[in-house]
Amino acid sequence: MKLEDATRYTEKCFNGEPASCSYACPFHLDIRSFLEKVSRGRWVPAYKVLRNAVIFPGIVSVLCDEPCREHCQRTLLGDEALAMLDLEAACIKYAKNTKPEFFAIPPKSERVAVIGAGVSGLACALNLAQKKYSVTVFEKESGWGGKLPNGERLSSHPRFADFDQDIALQFSAVDVEFRYGTEIKSLTELADFDAIYIATGKGGDSFGLLASWDAEMFTTSEPKVFMGGTLCGVSKMEGIAHSVQASKIMEAFLQTGKASLVNAQVYDKKNCERYLKHDGAVSVPRVIASSPDGYTEEEAKKEAARCLLCDCDYCIASCEMLQKFRKKPHKIAVEVATDMQVTGNLASRALTRQTYSCNLCGHCKSVCPEDVDIGALLQSSRTARKNAGGESYPAAFHDFWLREMDFAVSEGFLAATPNGKNECEYAFFPGCQLGAFNPDYVLKSYEFLSSKYDCGILLNCCGAPAYWAGDESLLNENMEKIKQAWNEMGQPTLVFACATCESIFNMFLPEIKRVSLYALLAEEEGISSIRPYDEAVVFDPCNARNNHGLETGVRKLATEAGISLHELKEPNRCCGYGGHIRLANSSLYEEIAQHRAEASDKPYIVYCVNCQDVFARRGKECSHILDLVFDLKKGLKVPTLDQKRANSVEVKKILMKKECGIDFEPETHEWDGLKLLISDEMQKDMENKLISAADLKEAIWQAESSGYKFYNESEGLFMCSMIKPVITYWVQYKEIAPQTYEIVSVYCHRIHFKEEVKQP
Amino acid sequence: MSTGEKNWKCAKCDKQLVLKNTDFFYLGHKFTYDVLNCPQCGKVLIPKELAEGRMAELEEALEDK
Ligand code: SF4
Ligand code: SF4
Ligand code: SF4
């Protein structure tokens, strides 16, 4: 993926960017960093941050009218904004070393003239002198200063002595020639200079260039003449900030002959409105100084500590995956791009594990003030990696579910219209897992739908496993197949029982009309009869986010059953199943599943069988909404992989017979007749490793019929392997009776080995 | 239950297994390791301890790239 294609996903992320207050500050002082240092009494580092931004801290800390405070997010909590000027003054007072830095760079030959020794002109002069340009300041008055906004000279200000001291301090490490009492009447007098900055103050002489002034670049129609400060109609503080920016542009001009922003940064003022939610932040009143001389050190630290250090990390703070990988959104985007720039199969990828550890649940987007969707970024990374293919593609992460999908779209597939008709108005699309978990979920629902609507059946996988694996062509192929069946059925409205199926259709087959089974059930008065709990929480699956019909339908059904419902603090969190991360990151999967199970101590009402599977496995009390409607919760255990397969076959058999009058004959294998003895503990181990009994039968059959197996005489054990393209399986077993085997140990690995088997 | 590696024989050839330098591959990487195999037919045996121990660690390390 190209860098810009990846970074487009995260371009609006403002993590690490200055806070709203800093955008309002004319100098874009990094207020967060400044206050963090002040709060810890780190006066010298705090002073450096302040000095580098405002140039003349002793002046700015007195004259600034604090526009930052209007955009202080503390005020959102009803508090007064941080007392910036008092804190700046305290910082200057308590910083022991305020000597300016001396830059050991060789002097440059280019000469710069600055017209006007107000604070603007001086700021430009100081910055360029620090870069070792030869700077001369021309001032018609006898000293520096310029005017106050009220027209009086700055030198009349009661704090002028402090200002004068600040100027002396800031210029103490540079060489600048000051020519006071020298009025420049025409720019031709300065023909020898390589660049000129006009900062003659409000109403001052612009040498006829004001009309040609460019507010972004500070240029004029004369190539080497720049202009800024109150002369151009801005405030004194903005004037200083202008001059800082202008000095950087002039530096580029002196280096390259062209004014440019290469050394400068442009801030978007609009960002001063970019606020965070601050949920859970507590109100703290402003610290009032105990003496008229300003804050004591302790008072200043306490006041600075009120800063909320506003920086967005909402997605990271609330997503286990982002927390685990500790990468900022921008960094993830860059890595997604570099990941795909790796060439050749032998090269390693940058972020394999993270790419496949995302639940693709949309939670980050839902909490992001800018709707940044990191899941979509990682989804596109999966697609790009699948398309790139090669040996470095980690096929093992998704192989299991792709094989499940393969069954659902072939053997498990059924498209049938009701009562021998050619077309139907509705068709039930239960998805591949509903019937696998409990055949009655599909059969009873279909019975209900058939009694009320002209409704057919479409058994298939929606393609989520292909989507999550990044396999576009497999996904499209399945979509084509579904579309064809749907057309042949007369384009019925599809009835969904799974929010994931519904969202996949919404994305890839939006032309198909959709309705949720639960919304249709909720239209029936008093349909849900069973009340497994007095109180419960509805656990909304991640893919039901923004699907309000679905969410309200389920709540209506649960309430009607007499359950008093509570809401989770965070709705639509993924149970852990989303994105099929379980094989790519099993510890993260377990952690997420456990967090979700613990999100409430009340039982859950779920309406996604995958959520149900995740919770039931962990012993979390939960019921599917269909249990309530059709009275189906009768001590049902989570079915094994083999039972799920058998359930799916059963559902198809019954429905095919019902609607087509045909007896479905599922595929048979030579190994089907083998009998396996599997202990409960072994069964659990197999479920964890996602190994089915059918896989073991196949392996044993191969070994027994070919004779290629190992024998452990002392323990009477056999062992064999079954090498599949992605995974190699091993099974140790005992032969108990003909075609009957006790399974002793089962394991698998993803690494392949080279085996050259010779006929003995 | 002990699955001591030495006790395994190839059932097809009735031979004691021997260690042999074997090539392994994963995610475009290649490496070699000594594992048991039948000296006659060449069938390879990967014990559980190896599969769920060192091999699993290696899989993880390569996938983590
Ligand atoms: S008081 Fe002025 S200089 Fe200081 S942070 Fe606020 S706006 Fe910036
Ligand atoms: S709380 Fe701190 S970081 Fe946030 S806006 Fe106010 S001063 Fe800026
Ligand atoms: S929520 Fe995440 S992606 Fe969005 S702005 Fe905040 S840190 Fe960036």
Side-chain angles (χ1 to χ4, degrees):
Chain A
M1 198 184 308
K2 284 208 222 93
L3 184 63
E4 57 273 27
D5 290 336
T7 52
R8 197 167 300 131
Y9 284 93
T10 55
E11 68 190 348
K12 286 206 182 135
C13 170
F14 58 96
N15 171 275
E17 279 186 37
S20 53
C21 52
S22 292
Y23 282 101
C25 168
F27 306 98
H28 308 300
L29 170 66
D30 187 345
I31 296 179
R32 203 168 50 207
S33 158
F34 171 73
L35 291 178
E36 191 270 337
K37 293 179 172 66
V38 170
S39 74
R40 295 199 284 136
R42 298 182 63 226
W43 305 112
V44 174
Y47 179 84
K48 267 197 187 146
V49 172
L50 180 65
R51 150 70 182 83
N52 288 342
V54 307
I55 311 296
F56 303 125
I59 298 172
V60 171
S61 68
V62 174
L63 295 183
C64 184
D65 45 20
E66 304 180 294
C68 58
R69 298 189 73 216
E70 273 165 48
H71 295 277
C72 175
Q73 297 178 46
R74 259 255 161 243
T75 58
L76 302 179
L77 305 175
D79 293 331
E80 207 180 311
L82 270 283
M84 277 311 292
L85 284 194
D86 293 350
L87 287 166
E88 289 170 23
C91 173
I92 297 167
K93 187 157 145 198
Y94 301 123
K96 290 219 170 62
N97 177 10
T98 53
K99 266 213 227 83
E101 278 172 77
F102 177 79
F103 297 94
I105 43 177
K108 299 189 173 72
S109 56
E110 288 86 353
R111 300 178 64 209
V112 178
V114 173
I115 311 175
V119 280
S120 292
L122 292 184
C124 178
L126 180 59
N127 266 15
L128 288 170
Q130 272 169 357
K131 295 283 161 75
K132 297 287 153 108
Y133 289 100
S134 158
V135 180
T136 311
V137 177
F138 299 91
E139 168 61 53
K140 64 177 182 201
E141 303 293 335
S142 59
W144 77 274
K147 287 191 190 125
L148 283 163
N150 60 12
E152 286 184 29
R153 293 208 52 80
L154 187 63
S155 51
S156 67
H157 193 279
R159 299 279 304 273
F160 187 74
D162 295 332
F163 300 165
D164 199 38
Q165 216 181 356
D166 195 27
I167 294 290
L169 176 69
Q170 305 309 339
F171 277 91
S172 62
V174 293
D175 283 326
V176 171
E177 191 187 346
F178 291 95
R179 295 222 201 136
Y180 291 124
T182 311
E183 184 173 4
I184 301 296
K185 296 226 165 65
S186 152
L187 292 181
T188 51
E189 294 170 45
L190 304 176
D192 289 350
F193 288 86
D194 299 291
I196 299 168
Y197 187 58
I198 306 174
T200 47
K202 192 174 167 193
D205 190 356
S206 76
F207 305 92
L209 294 172
L210 193 54
S212 67
W213 180 68
D214 181 299
E216 193 192 9
M217 301 300 288
F218 304 98
T219 48
T220 65
S221 51
E222 289 293 323
K224 69 173 182 179
V225 181
F226 297 79
M227 191 187 299
T230 52
L231 166 67
C232 304
V234 296
S235 73
K236 202 164 204 64
M237 296 299 109
E238 279 169 329
I240 301 178
H242 265 185
S243 304
V244 173
Q245 187 79 338
S247 71
K248 292 174 180 165
I249 294 167
M250 288 169 74
E251 194 190 349
F253 171 77
L254 290 166
Q255 284 164 342
T256 66
K258 194 171 178 303
S260 84
L261 289 163
V262 283
N263 304 319
Q265 211 180 334
V266 179
Y267 288 82
D268 189 344
K269 270 265 181 216
K270 284 205 297 283
N271 292 337
C272 68
E273 303 279 347
R274 204 161 54 186
Y275 299 143
L276 301 173
K277 282 183 280 197
H278 300 293
D279 286 340
V282 279
S283 154
V284 184
R286 172 179 175 166
V287 177
I288 306 294
S290 52
S291 131
D293 298 338
Y295 283 140
T296 62
E297 288 197 44
E298 285 315 307
E299 286 167 348
K301 279 154 77 172
K302 206 169 150 207
E303 170 64 8
R306 289 203 309 133
C307 174
L308 295 161
L309 303 176
C310 307
D311 188 4
C312 185
D313 70 343
Y314 285 167
C315 58
I316 303 165
S318 66
C319 165
E320 287 91 348
M321 188 280 283
L322 291 172
Q323 258 165 50
K324 181 135 284 179
F325 288 90
R326 297 165 155 277
K327 285 179 203 155
K328 302 292 171 67
H330 289 302
K331 172 135 202 263
I332 298 174
V334 170
E335 285 193 1
V336 163
T338 47
D339 193 41
M340 294 315 300
Q341 279 151 13
V342 174
T343 49
N345 285 338
L346 289 170
S348 38
R349 302 290 192 181
L351 84 167
T352 303
R353 183 84 59 198
Q354 184 164 16
T355 300
Y356 295 96
S357 295
C358 173
N359 288 131
L360 309 174
C361 65
H363 177 69
C364 53
K365 182 177 174 196
S366 78
V367 296
C368 175
E370 299 286 339
D371 287 343
V372 172
D373 191 344
I374 297 168
L377 169 68
L378 291 175
Q379 167 68 51
S380 71
S381 173
R382 290 186 190 186
T383 306
R385 293 195 55 162
K386 173 67 194 172
N387 289 340
E391 286 170 36
S392 68
Y393 176 70
F397 290 166
H398 288 271
D399 180 59
F400 172 80
W401 295 284
L402 291 173
R403 288 198 286 142
E404 291 287 290
M405 174 173 165
D406 189 45
F407 165 81
V409 305
S410 53
E411 242 196 296
F413 178 83
L414 173 69
T417 41
N419 312 320
K421 295 201 301 193
N422 286 333
E423 297 193 340
C424 49
E425 243 178 281
Y426 289 88
F428 184 29
F429 191 97
C432 57
Q433 293 303 310
L434 192 72
F437 198 89
N438 184 348
D440 276 342
Y441 285 166
V442 175
L443 298 174
K444 297 278 183 190
S445 302
Y446 187 53
E447 207 178 289
F448 161 80
L449 291 169
S450 305
S451 72
K452 291 271 162 191
Y453 306 92
D454 173 30
C455 186
I457 182 86
L458 187 46
L459 295 180
N460 196 359
C461 169
C462 66
Y467 179 59
W468 287 339
D471 194 334
E472 270 178 328
S473 61
L474 184 61
L475 178 70
N476 292 338
E477 200 183 299
N478 193 45
M479 286 297 152
E480 280 309 310
K481 183 169 176 178
I482 291 172
K483 202 168 165 184
Q484 198 190 332
W486 172 73
N487 277 326
E488 285 166 8
M489 294 171 90
Q491 308 194 336
T493 298
L494 293 191
V495 182
F496 288 95
C498 166
T500 302
C501 299
E502 227 184 308
S503 74
I504 294 273
F505 274 73
N506 180 32
M507 278 186 281
F508 299 105
L509 288 175
E511 65 272 37
I512 296 186
K513 252 181 85 187
R514 306 179 303 267
V515 62
S516 149
L517 168 67
Y518 312 111
L520 293 182
L521 286 168
E523 284 176 9
E524 301 297 306
E525 287 308 321
I527 190 169
S528 39
S529 48
I530 302 306
R531 179 165 61 135
Y533 324 109
D534 294 337
E535 287 182 284
V537 151
V538 175
F539 189 92
D540 297 295
C542 49
N543 275 310
R545 183 177 284 118
N546 303 328
N547 191 335
H548 301 300
L550 185 49
E551 290 175 348
T552 49
V554 170
R555 279 167 178 71
K556 177 161 183 279
L557 290 170
T559 313
E560 262 184 16
I563 301 176
S564 124
L565 287 185
H566 300 263
E567 295 294 329
L568 286 173
K569 217 166 93 213
E570 283 186 312
N572 302 103
R573 295 307 308 265
C574 175
C575 64
Y577 186 87
H580 283 149
I581 71 165
R582 184 171 156 192
L583 286 173
N585 202 329
S586 60
S587 61
L588 178 66
Y589 164 77
E590 297 293 339
E591 182 188 327
I592 293 170
Q594 192 59 30
H595 283 176
R596 298 304 169 262
E598 288 166 357
S600 166
D601 49 14
K602 305 224 160 41
Y604 290 163
I605 307 288
V606 298
Y607 50 104
C608 166
V609 269
N610 296 320
C611 300
Q612 187 176 19
D613 193 301
V614 167
F615 294 133
R617 242 173 241 290
R618 315 188 84 78
K620 170 79 191 175
E621 188 54 53
C622 66
S623 292
H624 197 283
I625 190 73
L626 293 174
D627 291 330
L628 275 60
V629 175
F630 298 121
D631 188 8
L632 293 174
K633 192 173 163 88
K634 299 197 179 86
L636 182 86
K637 281 208 304 197
V638 179
T640 65
L641 297 173
D642 298 276
Q643 285 162 346
K644 283 184 180 171
R645 182 63 63 91
N647 286 345
S648 299
V649 169
E650 177 73 13
V651 166
K652 171 157 170 183
K653 214 179 219 167
I654 292 173
L655 295 179
M656 197 162 169
K657 182 79 188 168
K658 177 175 188 284
E659 300 300 6
C660 317
I662 301 172
D663 287 311
F664 170 52
E665 284 179 25
E667 227 176 85
T668 56
H669 314 92
E670 293 146 307
W671 52 83
D672 289 343
L674 301 191
K675 273 200 211 64
L676 301 187
L677 303 180
I678 299 173
S679 68
D680 285 354
E681 205 182 321
M682 179 62 56
Q683 186 64 55
K684 226 175 136 185
D685 187 40
M686 286 164 56
E687 292 294 315
N688 280 339
K689 293 170 178 160
L690 293 172
I691 299 176
S692 69
D695 290 332
L696 302 189
K697 285 185 187 174
E698 184 181 356
I700 293 174
W701 172 266
Q702 277 181 11
E704 292 297 323
S705 51
S706 69
Y708 284 114
K709 59 182 177 176
F710 300 100
Y711 183 47
N712 183 329
E713 209 159 5
S714 58
E715 301 188 32
L717 274 183
F718 289 103
M719 163 155 41
C720 67
S721 62
M722 176 168 68
I723 303 175
K724 292 272 175 174
V726 178
I727 306 225
T728 301
Y729 300 88
W730 291 87
V731 47
Q732 290 178 12
Y733 57 97
K734 275 184 186 163
E735 186 166 9
I736 304 289
Q739 303 231 326
T740 306
Y741 305 93
E742 180 192 333
I743 304 301
V744 175
S745 171
V746 174
Y747 53 97
C748 59
H749 52 78
R750 302 167 183 177
I751 291 178
H752 308 285
F753 53 79
K754 191 165 160 195
E755 188 180 60
E756 282 162 15
V757 182
K758 299 182 274 279
Q759 281 294 328
Chain B
M1 182 157 312
S2 153
T3 49
E5 294 184 22
K6 283 181 258 30
N7 299 329
W8 291 103
K9 272 169 128 183
C10 174
K12 184 149 187 120
C13 311
D14 198 26
K15 292 274 185 224
Q16 205 69 45
L17 303 186
V18 294
L19 282 175
K20 189 181 167 225
N21 204 258
T22 304
D23 288 340
F24 287 84
F25 309 88
Y26 192 48
L27 297 179
H29 298 260
K30 181 185 166 192
F31 33 89
T32 60
Y33 195 73
D34 281 346
V35 288
L36 289 172
N37 95 350
C38 170
Q40 190 163 320
C41 70
K43 255 309 205 196
V44 170
L45 186 150
I46 306 284
K48 185 174 182 177
E49 296 70 30
L50 180 62
E52 297 191 341
R54 294 203 49 174
M55 276 169 82
E57 278 166 29
L58 194 61
E59 284 169 358
E60 203 168 315
L62 295 173
E63 289 160 1
D64 264 335
K65 287 284 172 51

